[in-house]
Amino acid sequence: MKILITGCLGFAGKTLCESIITSTDTIEIIGVDNFSRKGCELNVEHLRNLGIGIIRGDIRNPSDLKALPAADWVIDCAANPSVLAGMDNETSSRQVMEHNLVGTINLLEYCKQKGSGIILLSTSRVYSAEQLAKLPIIQEDDRYSIKDSFRSNGISSRGISEDFPTSTPLSLYGASKLASETIILEYANCFGFPAWINRCGVLAGAGQFGKADQGIFSYWLHSFREKNPLKYIGFGGKGLQVRDALHPKDLSPLLIKQMEEPDRDVPQIMNLGGGRENSMSLKQLSNWCEDLFGPNKVTPSNDERPMDAPWIVMDSSLANKAWDWSPKTKIQEILEEIARHAEKNPQWLKTSS
């Protein structure tokens, strides 16, 4: 089986290339990337040494896709993954849509012509930012939580399920991914090729080019290690907001199953996340970092970040029932892996800035 992985030099794409190619000898991988992210060139030699073909191409350009060889499956990892993208003066709203929506449309035309199946790595940010902001949170020690007894409208203490509202506002990023999901399902239905949509929680691990608005676990650890000042933004400046962490290598067994069993009678859209057991607040993350790296300046801020949420934890019960899938890498392992990488790469944040 031959698969095409877009955004192969980004953190998610590179990790999936590694984990898939090393887990089976029946898959050939072609990676496509536009080399736009600073630091991504560091991944080229490593992937080529694994036998992965790297092609420089931009999925926003149909002519670049026409030159690609046929593949049985496309795994779409190419995206501008920032929830703030296009909402400030530094990034263009059109650029966000071109990366995350127009690129998907071009890939669907490729799938239609080549007869390829497609798997989209979507996001938890397709869920309503307005409804996420209204979650019935309680404070427990150094974090926000949801009461164990609470059940309502796609939310419970286990996390956010696929039934949670996807109504606007979402963010431009979230809207572009939700639109991509809809268009993928329509193309798949119209032209008869298989499609799976996986809504991923926060991806985390070593080698991620983290920033404050994306890759928060990597960004926080590297900032602590490099003694860069940090801020608790929003929610009273206490750092109680919670996210769950998922290592992208844990996606590989499921993606392989989805490609091998394209006709399995299960929902096409499902959540994949670390879950409550793999969740942590910024305050708890700071405490973990301080124990390892020593103190660092973290100040409270009265600023509010648009589209932010106090608690995002993914409920992956459906994926477990449908595919017997669950995350294997515990959050402690993820943090230790990032910490080792930070020790070996003391100027990592400057590499991608």
Side-chain angles (χ1 to χ4, degrees):
M1 180 164 55
K2 180 181 290 186
I3 64 175
L4 181 72
I5 297 183
T6 68
C8 67
L9 300 183
F11 172 61
K14 175 245 185 184
T15 306
L16 287 177
C17 283
E18 289 176 330
S19 53
I20 291 174
I21 203 72
T22 56
S23 64
T24 176
D25 57 5
T26 62
I27 291 178
E28 176 186 352
I29 297 177
I30 301 168
V32 179
D33 203 285
N34 64 6
F35 286 70
S36 64
R37 181 70 182 263
K38 186 178 178 182
C40 71
E41 65 278 358
L42 298 174
N43 295 325
V44 174
E45 183 178 1
H46 172 65
L47 292 183
R48 283 180 173 159
N49 288 339
L50 292 174
I52 296 167
I54 307 296
I55 298 175
R56 187 166 192 153
D58 196 319
I59 65 171
R60 294 172 295 178
N61 298 329
S63 59
D64 285 3
L65 294 180
K66 285 182 180 180
L68 296 176
D72 299 296
W73 282 89
V74 173
I75 300 177
D76 186 12
C77 303
N80 182 333
S82 169
V83 74
L84 298 180
M87 297 173 63
D88 54 27
N89 294 323
E90 296 181 3
T91 56
S92 163
S93 55
R94 176 179 290 274
Q95 187 181 73
V96 174
M97 293 301 161
E98 288 175 346
H99 272 107
N100 299 341
L101 179 55
V102 175
T104 297
I105 294 171
N106 291 338
L107 286 173
L108 288 169
E109 287 292 324
Y110 168 92
C111 290
K112 181 181 74 172
Q113 294 162 9
K114 305 292 187 182
S116 311
I118 187 168
I119 298 175
L120 175 68
L121 292 197
S122 191
T123 172
S124 60
R125 299 317 299 244
V126 300
Y127 295 116
S128 171
E130 183 176 57
Q131 296 301 314
L132 287 172
K134 296 178 180 178
L135 290 178
I137 56 172
I138 58 174
Q139 182 175 340
E140 291 184 335
D141 298 324
D142 289 332
R143 61 178 289 150
Y144 288 135
S145 296
I146 303 288
K147 286 184 178 180
D148 286 340
S149 59
F150 185 82
R151 301 283 191 281
S152 176
N153 200 24
I155 185 73
S156 71
S157 61
R158 292 196 310 271
I160 299 163
S161 78
E162 294 82 359
D163 295 327
F164 196 80
T166 56
S167 53
T168 58
L170 302 171
S171 76
L172 292 175
Y173 165 59
S176 69
K177 300 300 282 188
L178 185 61
S180 292
E181 292 184 5
T182 301
I183 292 171
I184 284 172
L185 295 179
E186 290 296 336
Y187 261 76
N189 182 64
C190 286
F191 302 111
F193 56 80
W196 302 107
I197 293 167
N198 299 316
R199 292 173 175 169
C200 299
V202 176
L203 300 178
Q208 186 175 24
F209 297 121
K211 294 185 177 181
D213 57 342
Q214 60 187 75
I216 186 62
F217 288 96
S218 179
Y219 172 75
W220 210 262
L221 262 75
H222 280 280
S223 295
F224 242 89
R225 170 64 180 76
E226 297 176 25
K227 302 303 179 185
N228 296 329
L230 291 162
K231 289 183 179 181
Y232 294 137
I233 298 176
F235 311 105
K238 298 179 180 179
L240 303 181
Q241 56 265 51
V242 169
R243 299 292 186 268
D244 60 342
L246 173 67
H247 200 296
K249 69 181 181 182
D250 288 346
L251 295 172
S252 295
L254 174 59
L255 300 186
I256 292 172
K257 283 184 180 180
Q258 289 176 328
M259 291 186 289
E260 291 178 343
E261 302 180 52
D263 298 321
R264 182 181 282 210
D265 186 18
V266 296
Q268 288 176 280
I269 298 177
M270 57 188 60
N271 289 347
L272 304 175
R276 184 169 63 173
E277 294 76 14
N278 265 20
S279 68
M280 180 177 280
S281 72
L282 281 181
K283 176 61 175 174
Q284 290 173 321
L285 183 57
S286 290
N287 293 341
W288 191 94
C289 290
E290 187 167 337
D291 287 342
L292 184 63
F293 299 126
N296 188 42
K297 185 177 181 181
V298 185
T299 57
S301 171
N302 292 323
D303 295 339
E304 297 291 335
R305 182 173 284 140
M307 304 299 173
D308 206 353
W311 190 87
I312 299 181
V313 173
M314 298 294 269
D315 180 356
S316 305
S317 300
L318 180 60
N320 182 260
K321 180 179 179 181
W323 295 99
D324 192 30
W325 180 88
S326 60
K328 302 302 181 186
T329 310
K330 303 304 181 186
I331 192 168
Q332 180 72 18
E333 298 174 60
I334 293 173
L335 297 182
E336 289 172 354
E337 177 186 293
I338 298 171
R340 289 192 297 270
H341 184 268
E343 294 284 7
K344 293 178 181 178
N345 299 272
Q347 299 297 316
W348 186 250
L349 293 180
K350 294 180 181 179
T351 302
S352 58
S353 61

